[in-house]
Amino acid sequence: MEAIKAKFENGEADRTVKAITLSRYGPSSLLRLEEVPKPIPGDDEILIRVRAASVNDWDWGLMRGKPFYIRLLCGLRKPKIRIPGVDVAGEVETVGRNVTKFRPGDEVYGDISESGFGGFATYVCAHESALAPKPRTMPFIEAAAIPHAATLALQGFQKMEDLGARHKLLINGAGGGVGTLGIQIARSLGIEDVDGVDSESKLEMLRSLGFNNVIDYTKTDFTRAGKQYDLILDTRTNRSVFDYLRALTPNGIYVTVGGSTARLLQAFLLGPLIHRLSKKRIQIVALKPNQGLDYINELFEAEKLKAVIDGPYKLSEAPQAIDHFGNGGHKGKVIISMDQEN
Ligand SMILES: NC(=O)c1ccc[n+]([C@@H]2O[C@H](COP(=O)([O-])OP(=O)(O)OC[C@H]3O[C@@H](n4cnc5c(N)ncnc54)[C@H](OP(=O)(O)O)[C@@H]3O)[C@@H](O)[C@H]2O)c1
């Protein structure tokens, strides 16, 4: 207690922030809640007081160093990124000298995956281009849920030309971030007939979001169920590309946002050949962070989009939150709120 008092008396507390830190790849027990130096924004950066963050596949992969490409990107033997967290929502505290887009006090949100991560902390610096203005009516907790997953879904739909009400869409892995936001984005684009695939515990939630039919992947393989779709959006590509072709109508488009590295590679290599031999198409989304957030803001303000929140967890509970995400069973987006007592 005396030590903490002394810290406040000499102003040290203002120069440190709380963060979840990572020093080695491995289980969540290796993560630590620590006091780290308060980040200082560069000329093109803003310092954000983080109010909420959400857990993504990036965090699960970064923590474990798996799949292997994570080590190629983030450090072979140990992570170069010390603080996970890519989806953040918060308030601008200070701005770098070249920043023109934001001022102190602005409310912002965004995917900071190309700006060094660091969202699982009470403060983070990010390039101004990595943030968008947050609608005032959007709660921080919901704002943290949206950037990564909503733009993945939106950019997936942008690969599907000629969207319309006559189309039948299936979202595979529908109960996570991309699927729960994706159905709402699909409706805004005029698609009415949407099926969703996930595990049994999420099917009721999917029905309540408006999915017309729901399929339990532990009981039914949708690629063998006899129904064909004009559009498939997959968050969990784990089958041969030929299985997906079976579930597509003759002009159908299969778009994957993620899944097993080997299956994605197969889709990447065979996609062009398949399109030469048939009218079916296979597409892979390479996410452009935050692209499309202005459209998402419009949907939110028109009350056409609402995130499904799992949590919120306290910052100190981030290791459990990451495990909850990675081990499955979460519904929608797993949220960490810095406003909860830590
Ligand atoms: N393209 C890019 O540039 C890019 C960038 C970043 C991330 N990503 C990828 O984008 C995806 C993000 O999706 P997300 O955030 O919505 O993930 P998520 O929240 O984990 O949701 C995935 C859902 O799929 C379910 N699922 C698990 N196994 C399944 C199976 N065999 N069949 C059907 N559903 C299954 C999960 O349920 P359970 O609870 O039962 O496991 C979960 O509800 C990830 O694959 C990620 O790697 C792509």
Side-chain angles (χ1 to χ4, degrees), residues 25 40 66 87-88 93 107 133 215 232 241 247 258:
Y25 294 122
I40 299 166
K66 291 179 189 169
D87 263 339
V88 295
E93 182 155 294
E107 295 184 351
I215 300 162
I232 297 176
V241 73

Side-chain angles (χ1 to χ4, degrees), residues 199-330:
S199 51
E200 198 191 346
S201 65
K202 306 189 194 181
L203 301 187
E204 202 43 55
M205 182 257 303
L206 295 185
R207 279 193 203 95
S208 73
L209 285 172
F211 281 90
N212 300 74
N213 292 298
V214 290
I215 300 162
D216 178 353
Y217 74 81
T218 64
K219 296 199 179 114
T220 306
D221 175 351
F222 78 87
T223 67
R224 294 183 184 279
K227 190 165 172 183
Q228 289 190 317
Y229 297 89
D230 303 301
L231 313 165
I232 297 176
L233 181 70
D234 201 346
T235 73
R236 283 278 164 172
T237 298
N238 61 355
R239 293 185 177 86
S240 156
V241 73
F242 299 106
D243 290 343
Y244 298 121
L245 289 181
R246 201 167 44 230
L248 281 179
T249 53
N251 292 311
I253 308 176
Y254 171 86
V255 176
T256 172
V257 300
S260 125
T261 311
R263 295 304 189 190
L264 292 174
L265 188 64
Q266 187 198 34
F268 175 75
L269 294 175
L270 295 183
L273 185 65
I274 287 163
H275 189 44
R276 270 201 200 170
L277 301 175
S278 75
K279 289 193 172 155
K280 298 183 184 184
R281 267 169 298 156
I282 306 290
Q283 300 273 0
I284 302 176
V285 173
L287 179 67
K288 297 180 190 75
N290 304 311
Q291 201 175 87
L293 269 188
D294 44 353
Y295 179 71
I296 301 299
N297 279 357
E298 281 171 28
L299 288 188
F300 182 85
E301 283 170 335
E303 298 184 4
K304 290 184 176 167
L305 188 96
K306 192 160 178 44
V308 174
I309 303 298
D310 193 323
Y313 289 77
K314 298 175 189 172
L315 181 60
S316 57
E317 295 168 335
Q320 293 95 300
I322 297 173
D323 277 343
H324 178 50
F325 172 88
N327 294 328
H330 64 285

